[in-house]
Amino acid sequence: MSLRATARIAAAADGSLPVLHSDGPFALRRTRSTDGSTRVTVVGAMSAPLGGDELALEARAEDGARLTVDAAAATVALPGRTAAPARYRVRLSAGADATLRWLPEPLVSAHGSHLRAHTTAELAADARLVLREEQVLGRHGEEPGTLVSRLTVTRAGRPLLDQELAYGPGAPGGWDGPAVLAGHRAVGQLLVVDPDFEGKPVEPRLLGDSAAVTPLAGPAALVTAVAGDALGLRRALDRALAALAPF
């Protein structure tokens, strides 16, 4: 039987959590923060997503709030009893003068799985966002499942970024070729939205051999990176995070 679950988080400017609702595989825990923000850690309560599951996680930083959401472990997409794809939606929002840091652990696409993930973020004009996505294509020594991942971001009601990536069986040809992953099995991105970039735009540049910074048409920068494994990917994105997001 497929699972349907939605977990919700809302953080207020005074540091409180008016909403902290766990559901299904998402056990939400308030944890200690080292930077003064309100921090919530997502703890996996069961194996998910499996084929046919429909999961959602919503996080909102209300006006003036500072919210960090991270995770205790990686998410592993697994095959289920049905051939239907699993669906995982993340809905983020940040109000006026709010800061939202979305820093989950990697998503692992296990062999035989089929996952469609869609992250949306709606930001006020002066909100700040740090969003990290890491995808590992297959567990050690195995081929990946099918993974389709879309990221849609709007700022002050206007589109900032809308992109879709697809890997594994059934994905458009060439996803593993020299023009895309070139044999790498870990791929990720870091999106930083900061009103301060309006006065000092980010310059496009390479970060080492396998990561690049691209300024977006707005006060934002997108870092894309590939690596041979999850550890190498995290190191590349951590370097980018330290350089781009002092907040």
Side-chain angles (χ1 to χ4, degrees):
M1 184 175 180
S2 300
L3 176 66
R4 289 169 173 77
T6 300
R8 296 180 176 90
I9 305 165
D14 63 3
S16 65
L17 289 166
V19 179
L20 190 63
H21 172 71
S22 302
D23 194 14
F26 305 118
L28 307 178
R29 302 288 183 264
R30 180 164 190 163
T31 49
R32 181 177 298 177
S33 171
T34 59
D35 61 6
S37 66
T38 303
R39 179 185 174 195
V40 175
T41 298
V42 181
V43 180
M46 62 180 72
S47 295
L50 307 178
D53 288 352
E54 294 188 12
L55 309 178
L57 204 163
E58 302 174 357
R60 172 168 177 76
E62 297 179 353
D63 293 356
R66 296 181 63 200
L67 173 62
T68 297
V69 182
D70 57 16
T75 297
V76 182
L78 296 166
R81 295 182 178 180
T82 172
R87 299 184 184 276
Y88 179 24
R89 293 187 62 90
V90 174
R91 304 182 185 97
L92 309 175
S93 59
D97 195 31
T99 298
L100 176 57
R101 294 165 60 90
W102 178 257
L103 301 170
E105 291 301 300
L107 170 62
V108 181
S109 175
H111 180 66
S113 66
H114 187 174
L115 176 63
R116 293 182 172 269
H118 189 185
T119 298
T120 59
E122 298 179 359
L123 310 175
D126 56 354
R128 289 176 168 83
L129 172 70
V130 174
L131 184 151
R132 182 182 68 207
E133 290 189 337
E134 298 169 312
Q135 295 152 355
V136 179
L137 306 181
R139 292 169 294 189
H140 180 70
E142 73 174 9
E143 291 299 309
T146 298
L147 175 60
V148 180
S149 176
R150 184 176 179 184
L151 174 59
T152 305
V153 183
T154 59
R155 175 179 175 267
R158 296 184 177 182
L160 179 68
L161 177 66
D162 193 349
Q163 68 174 21
E164 184 173 278
L165 306 172
Y167 311 105
W175 66 270
D176 198 24
V180 187
L181 294 186
H184 294 91
R185 281 295 179 265
V187 57
Q189 56 191 359
L190 178 75
L191 175 66
V192 179
V193 183
D194 185 351
D196 290 346
F197 290 163
E198 290 183 311
K200 188 177 180 181
V202 173
E203 295 292 330
R205 63 187 186 274
L206 295 176
L207 296 174
D209 297 329
S210 57
V213 180
T214 303
L216 301 182
L222 180 67
V223 178
T224 53
V226 296
D229 56 30
L231 180 59
L233 180 65
R234 175 61 61 85
R235 286 172 174 168
L237 294 180
D238 279 351
R239 288 193 294 268
L241 180 61
L244 293 174
F247 56 86

